[in-house]
Amino acid sequence: MPGTCVIGLQWGDEAKGKLVDLLTGKFDIVVRYQGGANAGHTVVVGDQTYKLHHIPSGILNPNVSNIIASGVVLNPPTVLEEIHGLASRGIDVSKNLKISDRAHVVMPWHMAEDRALNDVIVDGEKIGTTLRGIGPCYRDKVGRNNAVRVGDMIRDDFRARIDRIVAAKQPYLSSLACESTLDAGEIYREYKAYADELQPFVIDTTAMLLDAVEEDKALLYEGAQGALLDIDHGTFPFVTSSNSSGVGVSAGAGVPGRWVNEVIGVVKSYTTRVGGGPFPTEQDNEIGQTIRDLGNEYGTTTGRPRRCGWFDAVAVRYTARLSGVSGLSVMMLDVLSQLPEIKVCTSYELHGERITHFPSHSEDLRLVKPNYETIPGWMTDVTEMREYSQLPDGAKRYLDQISAWVERPVEIVSVGPDREQTIFVP
Ligand code: IMP
């Protein structure tokens, strides 16, 4: 049975949530396996918009199990807020949501540290995190001494664990000139209440998923962020703290790679980035503002305006290879419909040389000059089109070019936020 994953191939916000919701009906289980409340996945169904940070985008289908797996860093109040928000709109998740006991917990000291370090300049600029405590939580996971996992919250020694960690964290936070004072008793009471409410959802998801693949169940893995933000293979240090490219699926879910046989790479028809870091095709000008306005490019999680630019085929070819992508889903094609001409970067100039590989050091990426190919726009509204044959020739040519540059077939095209506004390429 298929193990399929949906991976963003740019810097996140590629509209993966829409795609996961759309594909969910073909699967038994949808799995979120990395990242945390830094993600913001939007699903639009008719006149209803659902914004999810933790809960997999398959949750709107009651027949599908949704798993928050071991590689996720969980923010308990956020996930509870999502559970309550869905319940208030008639969506009961008590039967089809499970949370890993191995997932790490984002604690108040992680949020405080993320805020305290927000102004630090790294390699010339701020990372500009989502301030959700993601980096500090993953660092404590790797460091082990001061980690809290979901399973720890429902054990008898939870209070003692909090006391020990607070004793270690308070002097550290004070050294960062952070004003937060950690009250161990208060934190314990707050998080114990979260734990009590979350307990019915908590299981060993690794065991469950291994049983599922061996029983031939169909699994859909929902990547968060995008491959260019991958901690190991992205634009370090301007990245998130997890493996957000396709290489992270197995480790985060706890399912060997042999069970993942299809990878859908999701791209926007242009590029956006939130936060700091090099962005070769950025249009910090009128064109960028036009794309931002047409695409409503403001962060789901933080509301920050997204940096906008042209499609970067050099970057996407790299992340498609890195993620083992079999086919592409091109989102937000409608946004380009009002532009008389569209550019795509197909190579870079670095130190006077033309290159087609993606530089591994962000300093080199900052220095590259993009070489563009210019394509005439189609200037036709595509939002009502449902068949590939209806698309204007210019749009088809653009999709063909993307496919040729990235060396992967375009299989799905999105022409608007609603489920219906989707074209499956024959
Ligand atoms: P963090 O994940 O909050 O530590 O942020 C690190 C970098 O990743 C920042 O540039 C964020 O803007 C970016 N980032 C994190 N999550 C997302 C996302 O879901 N979409 C887009 N960018 C993200």
Side-chain angles (χ1 to χ4, degrees):
M1 282 298 267
T4 298
C5 59
V6 168
I7 301 287
L9 298 183
Q10 295 158 321
W11 279 288
D13 308 317
E14 297 92 352
K16 299 176 289 295
K18 163 175 170 169
L19 196 65
V20 170
D21 167 64
L22 197 69
L23 299 175
T24 289
K26 296 186 191 156
F27 292 86
D28 299 304
I29 303 175
V30 180
V31 186
R32 249 304 288 280
Y33 56 88
Q34 47 74 226
N38 48 351
H41 293 173
T42 306
V43 180
V44 180
V45 186
D47 60 356
Q48 297 288 309
T49 300
Y50 300 87
K51 290 186 190 255
L52 303 166
H53 299 284
H54 271 311
I55 297 183
S57 307
I59 199 70
L60 303 181
N61 185 330
N63 303 320
V64 173
S65 298
N66 288 265
I67 307 296
I68 299 177
S70 312
V72 167
V73 287
L74 191 85
N75 186 314
T78 307
V79 76
L80 284 167
E81 206 178 296
E82 278 174 57
I83 292 171
H84 298 153
L86 287 166
S88 72
R89 296 165 79 178
I91 297 159
D92 171 22
V93 302
S94 59
K95 295 208 173 52
N96 67 339
L97 175 68
K98 294 291 171 214
I99 300 173
S100 169
D101 58 351
R102 290 183 173 89
H104 282 247
V105 182
V106 178
M107 298 296 291
W109 47 83
H110 296 132
M111 311 278 273
E113 183 186 337
D114 211 1
R115 284 193 300 271
L117 295 177
N118 189 36
D119 286 331
V120 173
I121 303 290
V122 188
D123 292 349
E125 60 182 308
K126 293 184 196 176
I127 293 177
T129 76
T130 59
L131 301 178
R132 297 296 187 273
I134 305 297
C137 183
Y138 274 117
R139 205 203 34 225
D140 276 342
K141 164 177 168 169
V142 177
R144 294 153 297 166
N145 300 342
N146 294 324
V148 178
R149 302 203 294 177
V150 169
D152 297 328
M153 294 171 74
I154 49 182
R155 299 219 160 222
D156 292 343
D157 64 351
F158 185 39
R159 172 70 210 242
R161 181 180 296 270
I162 288 198
D163 286 346
R164 177 175 61 74
I165 299 175
V166 163
K169 289 286 176 184
Q170 188 64 71
Y172 171 61
L173 286 180
S174 305
S175 77
L176 299 177
C178 173
E179 280 166 19
S180 291
T181 306
L182 302 173
D183 180 329
E186 212 172 278
I187 294 172
Y188 169 72
R189 281 186 292 281
E190 184 184 345
Y191 280 71
K192 176 75 175 69
Y194 298 145
D196 290 343
E197 213 178 334
L198 286 173
Q199 187 153 9
F201 298 96
V202 177
I203 62 163
D204 177 348
T205 61
T206 307
M208 184 232 168
L209 293 175
L210 288 173
D211 285 345
V213 290
E214 286 165 11
E215 283 162 14
D216 227 16
K217 297 255 166 66
L219 270 66
L220 180 62
Y221 302 90
E222 177 177 22
Q225 291 83 47
L228 292 171
L229 289 170
D230 187 287
I231 181 74
D232 288 305
H233 309 286
T235 52
F236 191 88
F238 304 101
V239 292
T240 191
S241 299
S242 63
N243 284 117
S244 51
S245 71
V247 299
V249 179
S250 286
V255 177
R258 64 182 286 235
W259 299 105
V260 180
N261 47 19
E262 188 191 17
V263 183
I264 302 174
V266 189
V267 292
K268 275 180 186 163
S269 58
Y270 47 94
T271 311
T272 62
R273 173 162 210 176
V274 217
F279 177 176
T281 60
E282 180 168 18
Q283 299 299 302
D284 190 8
N285 53 30
E286 221 173 285
I287 291 168
Q289 187 57 44
T290 303
I291 294 175
R292 187 174 304 115
D293 291 342
L294 292 171
N296 190 24
E297 291 294 354
Y298 297 87
T300 312
T301 300
T302 59
R304 289 182 288 179
R306 296 180 183 140
R307 300 158 66 192
C308 297
W310 297 120
F311 188 86
D312 185 340
V314 178
V316 172
R317 188 167 49 228
Y318 164 62
T319 51
R321 293 174 65 209
L322 174 69
S323 300
V325 164
S326 30
L328 296 173
S329 182
V330 178
M331 315 303 277
M332 324 276 284
L333 187 72
D334 50 305
V335 171
L336 298 185
S337 292
Q338 292 182 40
L339 300 181
E341 74 180 15
I342 298 164
K343 292 187 180 198
V344 174
C345 165
T346 54
S347 65
Y348 298 145
E349 205 81 19
L350 179 64
H351 305 306
E353 229 182 277
R354 181 180 167 276
I355 59 167
T356 53
H357 68 269
F358 191 71
S360 54
H361 202 287
S362 59
E363 218 31 64
D364 287 337
L365 193 61
R366 215 186 282 286
L367 290 176
V368 301
K369 298 262 172 305
N371 294 320
Y372 290 111
E373 303 214 3
T374 303
I375 293 145
W378 45 90
M379 304 296 282
T380 309
D381 180 11
V382 294
T383 54
E384 298 302 322
M385 299 181 183
R386 300 290 177 267
E387 302 288 335
Y388 181 75
S389 57
Q390 295 174 307
L391 285 175
D393 286 345
K396 284 187 195 149
R397 212 170 305 128
Y398 186 58
L399 295 170
D400 285 348
Q401 300 264 30
I402 288 184
S403 169
W405 287 312
V406 179
E407 297 166 7
R408 299 290 186 281
V410 173
E411 293 173 343
I412 301 170
V413 181
S414 173
V415 292
D418 200 86
R419 270 180 188 167
E420 305 294 315
Q421 294 174 296
T422 309
I423 294 173
F424 290 90
V425 180

